[in-house]
Amino acid sequence: MKLNLQDFAANGWIRPHTTSQNEIAGLLRLVVRDLNDARIEATSDDRRFATAYNAALQLSKVILAASGYLPAKGQSAHFHAFEVVKSAVTTREVELLCDYFDTCRRKRNHVDCDGSDVVTRSETLEIIEKTSQYFELVIIWLRENHHDLFSNPN
């Protein structure tokens, strides 16, 4: 049985939240900044990877906020973010991207906590590309489902 957003809230993975156009715009600006920073080739692949991952995580936060929730505070917020998004946006494309980002979460943890030279150049380029695709899908989803919250982030 697939869980819905109310089930995730009951499990303590997310909490109710009322968002605004300003909050969504601010999150989208953060995503644009992080994607731009991830594309700076003079930065290490580890840092570029982690920065692109953060952009994807913020996009998930956009979806949750627009849906009336935020991740619960605590250690598992990253762990649950992508899983919960799959209940809010039920397209196969978003599901595959969320599964991909969840695998990246583990690598990003290694980058941020205890390693260097953890990711390859191709992994870095892949996460930047996938995050860019996710960004486009989130913008389309916002326009179609929450046009009152959408403003152009660029």
Side-chain angles (χ1 to χ4, degrees):
M1 177 174 99
K2 187 172 181 174
L3 298 177
N4 62 35
L5 293 175
Q6 293 80 19
D7 295 328
F8 286 118
N11 289 337
W13 293 9
I14 56 177
R15 58 186 166 86
H17 175 73
T18 302
T19 194
S20 67
Q21 187 178 41
N22 284 341
E23 180 181 31
I24 298 297
L27 289 168
L28 292 173
R29 282 191 302 273
L30 179 60
V31 169
V32 169
R33 182 207 65 193
D34 281 355
L35 272 172
N36 286 336
D37 287 356
R39 291 182 177 110
I40 298 172
E41 292 187 18
T43 306
S44 71
D45 284 321
D46 287 343
R47 185 55 34 217
R48 293 172 67 200
F49 184 95
T51 303
Y53 172 85
N54 189 63
L57 187 63
Q58 297 309 314
L59 286 166
S60 292
K61 192 173 177 181
V62 166
I63 291 169
L64 292 178
S67 299
Y69 295 93
L70 280 182
K73 302 283 186 204
Q75 296 274 29
S76 61
H78 288 220
F79 176 75
H80 298 306
F82 297 110
E83 190 64 32
V84 174
V85 162
K86 293 189 295 188
S87 291
V89 182
T90 58
T91 68
R92 182 72 175 141
E93 218 172 357
V94 168
E95 180 181 353
L96 291 172
L97 285 168
C98 285
D99 289 345
Y100 167 79
F101 293 127
D102 189 51
T103 63
C104 292
R105 174 183 53 81
R106 294 176 195 89
K107 191 163 280 219
R108 196 271 323 171
N109 288 346
H110 189 53
V111 165
D112 279 355
C113 297
D114 55 12
S116 66
D117 298 322
V118 173
V119 298
T120 65
R121 174 61 49 107
S122 63
E123 289 171 315
T124 299
L125 295 175
E126 180 179 41
I127 195 171
I128 291 168
E129 177 61 30
K130 299 259 188 207
T131 303
S132 297
Q133 291 170 6
Y134 193 34
F135 181 68
E136 291 173 18
L137 292 172
V138 169
I139 294 300
I140 291 167
W141 179 82
L142 275 173
R143 283 184 181 146
E144 291 177 355
N145 298 283
H146 299 281
H147 61 277
D148 58 314
L149 295 174
F150 180 75
S151 66
N152 194 337
N154 296 330

